[in-house]
Each structure stands twice: as structure tokens, then as C-alpha cells.
Amino acid sequence: TITELLTSLSGFALYLWILTDVQPVLLLVIVLTSTLSFWVNRITIRWKHRFWEENRKNWLGTVYLARKTQSVEAAKDIRIFGLAQWITQLYDGVIATLRDYVAKREKRVIWADLADVVLTFLQNGIAYAYLLGLALRGHLSASEFLLYFSAVTGLSAWIRGILDHCTKLCQQCQEIGSIVEYLSAPEQFRFEGGRPLPDTNSVELRLENVTFRYPGSEKPLFEHLNLTIRPGERLAIVGLNGAGKTTLVKLLCGFYDPDEGRVTLNGIDIREFNRREYYGLLCAVYQE
């Protein structure tokens, strides 16, 4: 917090003032080793964040597979098509990848912690040896030795306290950055303004030359698809799992936008309407 940071700064200033009578080499050692420790921790935080971004897909895959295997709705398909062993193999593969990721991450953290311990030991060893040498040569009295001995310990603690707060701020900025990136993503649908909805007593929905593919998919699910649903018409669409029946409904509902072509309501592209108002016209009941 700001209060803790101000307290650390005050303590740092006090101990720095006490040590001004000592050779500046001692202060340089304390500041240098503390700064090196801070940069090691900061690099480790950045690496962990970057490594998390690279492995996030594996974490999401684990959650998805776990949710599907525990889903009542998926139980029928798993049994009918004998998917249990296949899903188990997929899950084991993702878990093995995550285990390797965690092991690699922890090794990196251990090395960072070890570097921090070495730097702390080096800092204290040099500082105490320097003060002890001054005392043995008669340049410091017993009381001065104890004062400077305490000041070195206190200054090191305050510097590390300040740098630890900076490290936490860096870590929180990394985490908040992902949220800001999500909130700053451009909205692909129109939720403000838009054309007024036409008379909905007689509605015609139409797909005109629609092509749609899911992100990352090489092959389009639909390509140049045309479909007209006229007022009062009842239409049944039959197909295998994965053929695109649900996706077709989501396109008509306006949950997805086609990559090419358009979806129209009474001849007007639904992208011209306020999407929230358009949602109020339809009701979809999915298999779940």
C-alpha cells in the first residue's frame, strides 16, 4: 500500500543518513546487491507471465475436458460413440504437458530464489567484514560498530522493502494488463444506435452467400450458403454431430457474424440493427 511504501522510504532515508559517515563503498555494495536481487525477481515475474500466456491453451484444455467428462449432457455421446478412452488419452496428454510446464516454472523460481539468497549473503558478508575491519583497526568504537551494524541491517531491510513493493506493483501490472487488454478489445457488434427494427408481425430471415469459419480452422464450416426462412414457415435441419446445425442457429440469432455474405431480417442486414434489440426477437432452446 501507499502507507507501507512511505514508511519504507522514511526508514531508508534515516538509515542512509546514519551511514553517511562510513565509506561510500559500503553503501554501494548494499544498493548494488539489492538492485540485482530486484531485477532477478522482476525478470522472473515477466518470464512467468510470458510462459503462462504460452501455456494458457493447455490450462483451458484441461478445464474443458474435465467439464465435458463430468457433463450430464455429454454422457450420452461419450457412451454411444465409445469416447471414454479417447478423452482419457487427451486428458493425460494435456496433464503431462502441464506437469512439464510446472516443473520448468518451479526450476526457474528456485534458481531465482537461490540467486536472491546468494546476493543477500554476499551483501551481509561484505558489509559485516568491512565494519569488523574498521573496528579491529581502531577506526570504530564498540558503540559505533553496533550502531553501524544495526544501520546496515536496517538499510538493507528498508531497501528490500521498497524494492519488494516495486516487484509487487510490476506483478500486478502484468496481471491487470490482461484484463485491460480484454476490456479494450473492439466490440464487433453494434450495441448503440442502429436502425429501428422492422415490423415483426411478418418476418423473413435469410442467409445470403454466407461463409463462416471458426478462428484457427483452415476449412470453412459454411461456404456460400443460401437459406431463406419465410414468415410462418417451419423448418427442420438434420445433420451429423459437427455438421454446423448449432452454428447455423447462432448465425441466425446474431451471436456470430459471417466472414462473408450477410444475414438479413426482412431484407435488411442484421448488422445495421442494435444487436441487443435484435436479440429480443428470437429465442433459442439448445439441446442442453
Side-chain angles (χ1 to χ4, degrees):
T1 63
I2 299 297
T3 303
E4 293 173 340
L5 182 59
L6 291 175
T7 304
S8 297
L9 289 172
S10 301
F12 169 76
L14 175 62
Y15 285 116
L16 186 63
W17 176 73
I18 293 175
L19 288 173
T20 51
D21 291 337
V22 184
Q23 292 290 337
V25 175
L26 189 58
L27 295 175
L28 181 62
V29 169
I30 295 173
V31 174
L32 182 60
T33 53
S34 298
T35 304
L36 285 174
S37 177
F38 165 73
W39 280 105
V40 168
N41 290 328
R42 186 174 181 183
I43 291 171
T44 303
I45 289 172
R46 287 182 174 178
W47 179 85
K48 286 170 65 177
H49 181 76
R50 184 174 65 252
F51 204 56
W52 157 251
E53 291 292 331
E54 294 173 357
N55 287 272
R56 181 167 53 182
K57 184 181 294 185
N58 292 325
W59 285 102
L60 294 177
T62 304
V63 174
Y64 175 80
L65 288 171
R67 186 169 62 243
K68 286 300 180 183
T69 54
Q70 298 169 18
S71 168
V72 175
E73 292 79 12
K76 176 184 64 177
D77 291 333
I78 291 174
R79 286 170 172 77
I80 290 177
F81 297 104
L83 301 177
Q85 184 177 359
W86 176 69
I87 292 176
T88 301
Q89 291 174 349
L90 282 179
Y91 189 81
D92 290 343
V94 175
I95 288 295
T97 303
L98 288 178
R99 189 181 297 115
D100 293 339
Y101 155 70
V102 172
K104 186 175 181 180
R105 183 192 64 189
E106 293 306 310
K107 287 179 182 178
R108 189 73 172 255
V109 172
I110 288 173
W111 280 110
D113 291 341
L114 181 61
D116 189 49
V117 170
V118 170
L119 287 170
T120 301
F121 179 79
L122 185 63
Q123 170 188 284
N124 294 335
I126 293 175
Y128 298 157
Y130 180 80
L131 288 174
L132 188 59
L134 291 177
L136 291 175
R137 291 194 299 269
H139 298 299
L140 290 178
S141 64
S143 59
E144 288 175 328
F145 175 81
L146 290 174
L147 174 64
Y148 291 132
F149 189 88
S150 301
V152 168
T153 304
L155 181 63
S156 301
W158 287 116
I159 290 178
R160 286 184 174 274
I162 294 170
L163 295 180
D164 284 345
H165 285 302
C166 293
T167 301
K168 289 180 181 179
L169 286 174
C170 292
Q171 182 176 1
Q172 290 167 357
C173 287
Q174 293 276 8
E175 296 169 352
I176 292 174
S178 300
I179 300 175
V180 172
E181 182 182 0
Y182 171 75
L183 295 176
S184 301
E187 176 57 62
Q188 66 184 80
F189 299 147
R190 183 196 299 271
F191 286 107
E192 301 292 338
R195 294 182 57 167
L197 293 172
D199 180 16
T200 56
N201 292 323
S202 179
V203 172
E204 179 181 271
L205 280 172
R206 180 179 296 175
L207 302 179
E208 298 181 357
N209 203 32
V210 166
T211 296
F212 178 82
R213 72 165 51 80
Y214 283 102
S217 176
E218 297 180 359
K219 184 179 179 181
L221 187 59
F222 301 129
E223 195 166 12
H224 307 300
L225 174 65
N226 291 282
L227 172 67
T228 300
I229 305 176
R230 297 175 178 83
E233 185 174 12
R234 292 169 175 80
L235 184 66
I237 301 173
V238 182
L240 298 174
N241 285 348
K245 304 183 298 297
T246 301
T247 303
L248 176 63
V249 173
K250 291 182 177 180
L251 282 167
L252 291 170
C253 289
F255 298 149
Y256 297 155
D257 272 344
D259 297 314
E260 298 178 16
R262 62 178 192 160
V263 181
T264 65
L265 172 69
N266 289 355
I268 303 172
D269 193 326
I270 65 171
R271 284 173 287 203
E272 297 183 23
F273 301 126
N274 182 304
R275 191 60 62 101
R276 189 172 288 105
E277 294 178 357
Y278 179 77
Y279 288 158
L281 298 179
L282 301 103
C283 180
V285 182
Y286 296 102
Q287 60 188 6
E288 288 83 4

mmCIF file of all heavy atoms in Angstrom, residues 79-111:
data_model
loop_
_atom_site.group_PDB
_atom_site.id
_atom_site.type_symbol
_atom_site.label_atom_id
_atom_site.label_comp_id
_atom_site.label_asym_id
_atom_site.label_seq_id
_atom_site.Cartn_x
_atom_site.Cartn_y
_atom_site.Cartn_z
ATOM 1 N N ARG A 79 -20.867 -42.395 -24.303
ATOM 2 C CA ARG A 79 -21.157 -43.827 -24.246
ATOM 3 C C ARG A 79 -21.490 -44.401 -25.629
ATOM 4 O O ARG A 79 -21.011 -45.469 -26.005
ATOM 5 C CB ARG A 79 -22.315 -44.088 -23.275
ATOM 6 C CG ARG A 79 -21.910 -43.959 -21.810
ATOM 7 C CD ARG A 79 -23.112 -43.969 -20.890
ATOM 8 N NE ARG A 79 -22.735 -44.037 -19.492
ATOM 9 C CZ ARG A 79 -22.276 -43.015 -18.784
ATOM 10 N NH1 ARG A 79 -22.143 -41.827 -19.373
ATOM 11 N NH2 ARG A 79 -21.944 -43.159 -17.526
ATOM 12 N N ILE A 80 -22.287 -43.695 -26.378
ATOM 13 C CA ILE A 80 -22.717 -44.214 -27.684
ATOM 14 C C ILE A 80 -21.532 -44.394 -28.627
ATOM 15 O O ILE A 80 -21.416 -45.405 -29.327
ATOM 16 C CB ILE A 80 -23.766 -43.274 -28.313
ATOM 17 C CG1 ILE A 80 -25.081 -43.365 -27.537
ATOM 18 C CG2 ILE A 80 -23.985 -43.625 -29.780
ATOM 19 C CD1 ILE A 80 -26.149 -42.420 -28.037
ATOM 20 N N PHE A 81 -20.626 -43.421 -28.639
ATOM 21 C CA PHE A 81 -19.513 -43.452 -29.591
ATOM 22 C C PHE A 81 -18.227 -44.006 -28.968
ATOM 23 O O PHE A 81 -17.175 -43.977 -29.611
ATOM 24 C CB PHE A 81 -19.260 -42.048 -30.150
ATOM 25 C CG PHE A 81 -20.417 -41.510 -30.937
ATOM 26 C CD1 PHE A 81 -21.261 -40.559 -30.396
ATOM 27 C CD2 PHE A 81 -20.677 -41.970 -32.226
ATOM 28 C CE1 PHE A 81 -22.337 -40.064 -31.113
ATOM 29 C CE2 PHE A 81 -21.752 -41.485 -32.947
ATOM 30 C CZ PHE A 81 -22.594 -40.527 -32.405
ATOM 31 N N GLY A 82 -18.281 -44.487 -27.723
ATOM 32 C CA GLY A 82 -17.097 -45.080 -27.105
ATOM 33 C C GLY A 82 -15.931 -44.114 -26.977
ATOM 34 O O GLY A 82 -14.787 -44.468 -27.304
ATOM 35 N N LEU A 83 -16.211 -42.903 -26.496
ATOM 36 C CA LEU A 83 -15.188 -41.861 -26.458
ATOM 37 C C LEU A 83 -14.388 -41.807 -25.167
ATOM 38 O O LEU A 83 -13.464 -40.992 -25.046
ATOM 39 C CB LEU A 83 -15.851 -40.488 -26.679
ATOM 40 C CG LEU A 83 -16.609 -40.294 -27.994
ATOM 41 C CD1 LEU A 83 -17.271 -38.923 -28.015
ATOM 42 C CD2 LEU A 83 -15.669 -40.443 -29.178
ATOM 43 N N ALA A 84 -14.739 -42.660 -24.192
ATOM 44 C CA ALA A 84 -14.116 -42.549 -22.867
ATOM 45 C C ALA A 84 -12.595 -42.689 -22.943
ATOM 46 O O ALA A 84 -11.850 -41.884 -22.375
ATOM 47 C CB ALA A 84 -14.704 -43.593 -21.929
ATOM 48 N N GLN A 85 -12.122 -43.716 -23.642
ATOM 49 C CA GLN A 85 -10.679 -43.952 -23.715
ATOM 50 C C GLN A 85 -9.977 -42.824 -24.472
ATOM 51 O O GLN A 85 -8.895 -42.371 -24.072
ATOM 52 C CB GLN A 85 -10.396 -45.290 -24.392
ATOM 53 C CG GLN A 85 -8.907 -45.658 -24.418
ATOM 54 C CD GLN A 85 -8.671 -47.031 -25.021
ATOM 55 O OE1 GLN A 85 -9.610 -47.721 -25.408
ATOM 56 N NE2 GLN A 85 -7.406 -47.429 -25.101
ATOM 57 N N TRP A 86 -10.593 -42.351 -25.528
ATOM 58 C CA TRP A 86 -10.007 -41.262 -26.321
ATOM 59 C C TRP A 86 -9.896 -39.972 -25.494
ATOM 60 O O TRP A 86 -8.858 -39.306 -25.507
ATOM 61 C CB TRP A 86 -10.870 -41.029 -27.560
ATOM 62 C CG TRP A 86 -10.407 -39.874 -28.401
ATOM 63 C CD1 TRP A 86 -9.274 -39.792 -29.144
ATOM 64 C CD2 TRP A 86 -11.090 -38.626 -28.572
ATOM 65 N NE1 TRP A 86 -9.191 -38.580 -29.770
ATOM 66 C CE2 TRP A 86 -10.293 -37.835 -29.446
ATOM 67 C CE3 TRP A 86 -12.282 -38.105 -28.086
ATOM 68 C CZ2 TRP A 86 -10.671 -36.551 -29.824
ATOM 69 C CZ3 TRP A 86 -12.660 -36.835 -28.477
ATOM 70 C CH2 TRP A 86 -11.862 -36.069 -29.333
ATOM 71 N N ILE A 87 -10.959 -39.655 -24.752
ATOM 72 C CA ILE A 87 -10.929 -38.457 -23.912
ATOM 73 C C ILE A 87 -9.889 -38.606 -22.814
ATOM 74 O O ILE A 87 -9.168 -37.651 -22.488
ATOM 75 C CB ILE A 87 -12.320 -38.191 -23.318
ATOM 76 C CG1 ILE A 87 -13.305 -37.788 -24.428
ATOM 77 C CG2 ILE A 87 -12.264 -37.103 -22.258
ATOM 78 C CD1 ILE A 87 -14.723 -37.587 -23.950
ATOM 79 N N THR A 88 -9.780 -39.812 -22.248
ATOM 80 C CA THR A 88 -8.780 -40.050 -21.201
ATOM 81 C C THR A 88 -7.368 -39.836 -21.742
ATOM 82 O O THR A 88 -6.511 -39.239 -21.071
ATOM 83 C CB THR A 88 -8.919 -41.472 -20.642
ATOM 84 O OG1 THR A 88 -10.236 -41.647 -20.110
ATOM 85 C CG2 THR A 88 -7.898 -41.733 -19.549
ATOM 86 N N GLN A 89 -7.113 -40.316 -22.958
ATOM 87 C CA GLN A 89 -5.794 -40.123 -23.566
ATOM 88 C C GLN A 89 -5.513 -38.639 -23.807
ATOM 89 O O GLN A 89 -4.391 -38.169 -23.552
ATOM 90 C CB GLN A 89 -5.703 -40.900 -24.884
ATOM 91 C CG GLN A 89 -5.682 -42.404 -24.708
ATOM 92 C CD GLN A 89 -5.740 -43.148 -26.031
ATOM 93 O OE1 GLN A 89 -5.998 -42.555 -27.091
ATOM 94 N NE2 GLN A 89 -5.499 -44.450 -25.993
ATOM 95 N N LEU A 90 -6.522 -37.920 -24.268
ATOM 96 C CA LEU A 90 -6.348 -36.482 -24.456
ATOM 97 C C LEU A 90 -6.033 -35.791 -23.129
ATOM 98 O O LEU A 90 -5.115 -34.965 -23.039
ATOM 99 C CB LEU A 90 -7.615 -35.872 -25.057
ATOM 100 C CG LEU A 90 -7.866 -36.041 -26.553
ATOM 101 C CD1 LEU A 90 -9.188 -35.388 -26.921
ATOM 102 C CD2 LEU A 90 -6.739 -35.425 -27.361
ATOM 103 N N TYR A 91 -6.801 -36.147 -22.110
ATOM 104 C CA TYR A 91 -6.629 -35.527 -20.792
ATOM 105 C C TYR A 91 -5.240 -35.831 -20.228
ATOM 106 O O TYR A 91 -4.564 -34.940 -19.693
ATOM 107 C CB TYR A 91 -7.716 -36.019 -19.853
ATOM 108 C CG TYR A 91 -7.776 -35.295 -18.534
ATOM 109 C CD1 TYR A 91 -8.414 -34.063 -18.420
ATOM 110 C CD2 TYR A 91 -7.185 -35.829 -17.397
ATOM 111 C CE1 TYR A 91 -8.468 -33.388 -17.210
ATOM 112 C CE2 TYR A 91 -7.229 -35.164 -16.180
ATOM 113 C CZ TYR A 91 -7.871 -33.954 -16.103
ATOM 114 O OH TYR A 91 -7.920 -33.286 -14.906
ATOM 115 N N ASP A 92 -4.803 -37.087 -20.352
ATOM 116 C CA ASP A 92 -3.487 -37.464 -19.846
ATOM 117 C C ASP A 92 -2.385 -36.699 -20.578
ATOM 118 O O ASP A 92 -1.382 -36.297 -19.964
ATOM 119 C CB ASP A 92 -3.260 -38.974 -20.002
ATOM 120 C CG ASP A 92 -4.129 -39.782 -19.050
ATOM 121 O OD1 ASP A 92 -4.639 -39.193 -18.073
ATOM 122 O OD2 ASP A 92 -4.302 -40.988 -19.295
ATOM 123 N N GLY A 93 -2.575 -36.498 -21.895
ATOM 124 C CA GLY A 93 -1.579 -35.758 -22.664
ATOM 125 C C GLY A 93 -1.471 -34.311 -22.225
ATOM 126 O O GLY A 93 -0.369 -33.764 -22.079
ATOM 127 N N VAL A 94 -2.634 -33.672 -21.989
ATOM 128 C CA VAL A 94 -2.634 -32.277 -21.536
ATOM 129 C C VAL A 94 -2.038 -32.164 -20.146
ATOM 130 O O VAL A 94 -1.254 -31.245 -19.856
ATOM 131 C CB VAL A 94 -4.067 -31.709 -21.567
ATOM 132 C CG1 VAL A 94 -4.092 -30.308 -20.973
ATOM 133 C CG2 VAL A 94 -4.600 -31.668 -22.992
ATOM 134 N N ILE A 95 -2.377 -33.111 -19.256
ATOM 135 C CA ILE A 95 -1.836 -33.097 -17.897
ATOM 136 C C ILE A 95 -0.315 -33.265 -17.929
ATOM 137 O O ILE A 95 0.418 -32.599 -17.170
ATOM 138 C CB ILE A 95 -2.480 -34.196 -17.039
ATOM 139 C CG1 ILE A 95 -3.932 -33.834 -16.715
ATOM 140 C CG2 ILE A 95 -1.699 -34.416 -15.758
ATOM 141 C CD1 ILE A 95 -4.083 -32.603 -15.851
ATOM 142 N N ALA A 96 0.190 -34.145 -18.798
ATOM 143 C CA ALA A 96 1.643 -34.339 -18.893
ATOM 144 C C ALA A 96 2.331 -33.060 -19.353
ATOM 145 O O ALA A 96 3.394 -32.694 -18.843
ATOM 146 C CB ALA A 96 1.950 -35.478 -19.868
ATOM 147 N N THR A 97 1.705 -32.352 -20.308
ATOM 148 C CA THR A 97 2.260 -31.078 -20.773
ATOM 149 C C THR A 97 2.279 -30.050 -19.655
ATOM 150 O O THR A 97 3.265 -29.326 -19.465
ATOM 151 C CB THR A 97 1.439 -30.549 -21.958
ATOM 152 O OG1 THR A 97 1.429 -31.521 -23.007
ATOM 153 C CG2 THR A 97 2.035 -29.254 -22.493
ATOM 154 N N LEU A 98 1.196 -29.992 -18.887
ATOM 155 C CA LEU A 98 1.127 -29.049 -17.773
ATOM 156 C C LEU A 98 2.125 -29.404 -16.682
ATOM 157 O O LEU A 98 2.705 -28.511 -16.048
ATOM 158 C CB LEU A 98 -0.290 -29.034 -17.195
ATOM 159 C CG LEU A 98 -1.354 -28.356 -18.057
ATOM 160 C CD1 LEU A 98 -2.709 -28.467 -17.382
ATOM 161 C CD2 LEU A 98 -1.010 -26.901 -18.295
ATOM 162 N N ARG A 99 2.326 -30.696 -16.462
ATOM 163 C CA ARG A 99 3.294 -31.113 -15.444
ATOM 164 C C ARG A 99 4.698 -30.649 -15.835
ATOM 165 O O ARG A 99 5.467 -30.169 -14.994
ATOM 166 C CB ARG A 99 3.244 -32.632 -15.286
ATOM 167 C CG ARG A 99 4.057 -33.151 -14.103
ATOM 168 C CD ARG A 99 4.001 -34.664 -13.999
ATOM 169 N NE ARG A 99 2.641 -35.125 -13.744
ATOM 170 C CZ ARG A 99 1.931 -35.866 -14.583
ATOM 171 N NH1 ARG A 99 2.447 -36.206 -15.755
ATOM 172 N NH2 ARG A 99 0.714 -36.252 -14.275
ATOM 173 N N ASP A 100 5.026 -30.789 -17.122
ATOM 174 C CA ASP A 100 6.323 -30.303 -17.594
ATOM 175 C C ASP A 100 6.428 -28.787 -17.437
ATOM 176 O O ASP A 100 7.485 -28.257 -17.078
ATOM 177 C CB ASP A 100 6.520 -30.682 -19.063
ATOM 178 C CG ASP A 100 6.650 -32.187 -19.251
ATOM 179 O OD1 ASP A 100 6.984 -32.880 -18.261
ATOM 180 O OD2 ASP A 100 6.412 -32.668 -20.371
ATOM 181 N N TYR A 101 5.325 -28.102 -17.716
ATOM 182 C CA TYR A 101 5.312 -26.644 -17.572
ATOM 183 C C TYR A 101 5.560 -26.230 -16.121
ATOM 184 O O TYR A 101 6.382 -25.347 -15.845
ATOM 185 C CB TYR A 101 3.973 -26.098 -18.065
ATOM 186 C CG TYR A 101 3.588 -24.767 -17.455
ATOM 187 C CD1 TYR A 101 4.267 -23.602 -17.776
ATOM 188 C CD2 TYR A 101 2.545 -24.688 -16.532
ATOM 189 C CE1 TYR A 101 3.922 -22.385 -17.203
ATOM 190 C CE2 TYR A 101 2.187 -23.488 -15.957
ATOM 191 C CZ TYR A 101 2.877 -22.339 -16.303
ATOM 192 O OH TYR A 101 2.527 -21.150 -15.729
ATOM 193 N N VAL A 102 4.864 -26.886 -15.180
ATOM 194 C CA VAL A 102 5.022 -26.541 -13.771
ATOM 195 C C VAL A 102 6.439 -26.842 -13.303
ATOM 196 O O VAL A 102 7.051 -26.056 -12.554
ATOM 197 C CB VAL A 102 3.990 -27.298 -12.916
ATOM 198 C CG1 VAL A 102 4.269 -27.113 -11.432
ATOM 199 C CG2 VAL A 102 2.581 -26.816 -13.247
ATOM 200 N N ALA A 103 6.999 -27.984 -13.744
ATOM 201 C CA ALA A 103 8.363 -28.338 -13.338
ATOM 202 C C ALA A 103 9.363 -27.300 -13.857
ATOM 203 O O ALA A 103 10.268 -26.870 -13.120
ATOM 204 C CB ALA A 103 8.716 -29.722 -13.880
ATOM 205 N N LYS A 104 9.192 -26.878 -15.098
ATOM 206 C CA LYS A 104 10.090 -25.873 -15.669
ATOM 207 C C LYS A 104 9.947 -24.541 -14.939
ATOM 208 O O LYS A 104 10.933 -23.851 -14.659
ATOM 209 C CB LYS A 104 9.785 -25.694 -17.157
ATOM 210 C CG LYS A 104 10.757 -24.785 -17.878
ATOM 211 C CD LYS A 104 10.469 -24.750 -19.368
ATOM 212 C CE LYS A 104 11.460 -23.843 -20.095
ATOM 213 N NZ LYS A 104 11.188 -23.805 -21.561
ATOM 214 N N ARG A 105 8.707 -24.184 -14.600
ATOM 215 C CA ARG A 105 8.472 -22.925 -13.893
ATOM 216 C C ARG A 105 9.107 -22.955 -12.507
ATOM 217 O O ARG A 105 9.757 -21.989 -12.092
ATOM 218 C CB ARG A 105 6.965 -22.687 -13.773
ATOM 219 C CG ARG A 105 6.598 -21.361 -13.124
ATOM 220 C CD ARG A 105 5.132 -21.327 -12.768
ATOM 221 N NE ARG A 105 4.804 -22.332 -11.759
ATOM 222 C CZ ARG A 105 3.559 -22.644 -11.392
ATOM 223 N NH1 ARG A 105 2.536 -22.048 -11.971
ATOM 224 N NH2 ARG A 105 3.341 -23.559 -10.469
ATOM 225 N N GLU A 106 8.927 -24.069 -11.795
ATOM 226 C CA GLU A 106 9.452 -24.148 -10.438
ATOM 227 C C GLU A 106 10.979 -24.159 -10.430
ATOM 228 O O GLU A 106 11.603 -23.619 -9.507
ATOM 229 C CB GLU A 106 8.907 -25.399 -9.739
ATOM 230 C CG GLU A 106 7.408 -25.337 -9.477
ATOM 231 C CD GLU A 106 7.006 -24.084 -8.726
ATOM 232 O OE1 GLU A 106 7.633 -23.786 -7.697
ATOM 233 O OE2 GLU A 106 6.078 -23.396 -9.181
ATOM 234 N N LYS A 107 11.597 -24.785 -11.438
ATOM 235 C CA LYS A 107 13.059 -24.744 -11.522
ATOM 236 C C LYS A 107 13.547 -23.308 -11.683
ATOM 237 O O LYS A 107 14.529 -22.900 -11.057
ATOM 238 C CB LYS A 107 13.537 -25.590 -12.704
ATOM 239 C CG LYS A 107 13.425 -27.090 -12.488
ATOM 240 C CD LYS A 107 13.903 -27.851 -13.706
ATOM 241 C CE LYS A 107 13.750 -29.347 -13.515
ATOM 242 N NZ LYS A 107 14.170 -30.113 -14.728
ATOM 243 N N ARG A 108 12.828 -22.558 -12.515
ATOM 244 C CA ARG A 108 13.214 -21.163 -12.716
ATOM 245 C C ARG A 108 13.051 -20.359 -11.422
ATOM 246 O O ARG A 108 13.902 -19.540 -11.071
ATOM 247 C CB ARG A 108 12.329 -20.563 -13.830
ATOM 248 C CG ARG A 108 12.748 -19.188 -14.310
ATOM 249 C CD ARG A 108 14.000 -19.262 -15.135
ATOM 250 N NE ARG A 108 14.301 -17.978 -15.740
ATOM 251 C CZ ARG A 108 14.112 -17.692 -17.021
ATOM 252 N NH1 ARG A 108 13.625 -18.614 -17.832
ATOM 253 N NH2 ARG A 108 14.428 -16.508 -17.507
ATOM 254 N N VAL A 109 11.976 -20.619 -10.704
ATOM 255 C CA VAL A 109 11.732 -19.903 -9.448
ATOM 256 C C VAL A 109 12.797 -20.271 -8.409
ATOM 257 O O VAL A 109 13.277 -19.407 -7.663
ATOM 258 C CB VAL A 109 10.326 -20.227 -8.917
ATOM 259 C CG1 VAL A 109 10.124 -19.664 -7.519
ATOM 260 C CG2 VAL A 109 9.261 -19.661 -9.856
ATOM 261 N N ILE A 110 13.173 -21.560 -8.352
ATOM 262 C CA ILE A 110 14.195 -21.998 -7.391
ATOM 263 C C ILE A 110 15.524 -21.302 -7.671
ATOM 264 O O ILE A 110 16.210 -20.833 -6.749
ATOM 265 C CB ILE A 110 14.358 -23.531 -7.446
ATOM 266 C CG1 ILE A 110 13.124 -24.205 -6.823
ATOM 267 C CG2 ILE A 110 15.625 -23.965 -6.720
ATOM 268 C CD1 ILE A 110 13.117 -25.705 -6.980
ATOM 269 N N TRP A 111 15.897 -21.210 -8.949
ATOM 270 C CA TRP A 111 17.145 -20.534 -9.294
ATOM 271 C C TRP A 111 17.081 -19.056 -8.927
ATOM 272 O O TRP A 111 18.078 -18.479 -8.465
ATOM 273 C CB TRP A 111 17.448 -20.704 -10.771
ATOM 274 C CG TRP A 111 18.064 -22.026 -11.119
ATOM 275 C CD1 TRP A 111 17.494 -23.053 -11.810
ATOM 276 C CD2 TRP A 111 19.381 -22.468 -10.768
ATOM 277 N NE1 TRP A 111 18.369 -24.114 -11.916
ATOM 278 C CE2 TRP A 111 19.543 -23.778 -11.282
ATOM 279 C CE3 TRP A 111 20.436 -21.899 -10.062
ATOM 280 C CZ2 TRP A 111 20.713 -24.507 -11.126
ATOM 281 C CZ3 TRP A 111 21.614 -22.631 -9.912
ATOM 282 C CH2 TRP A 111 21.744 -23.914 -10.439
#
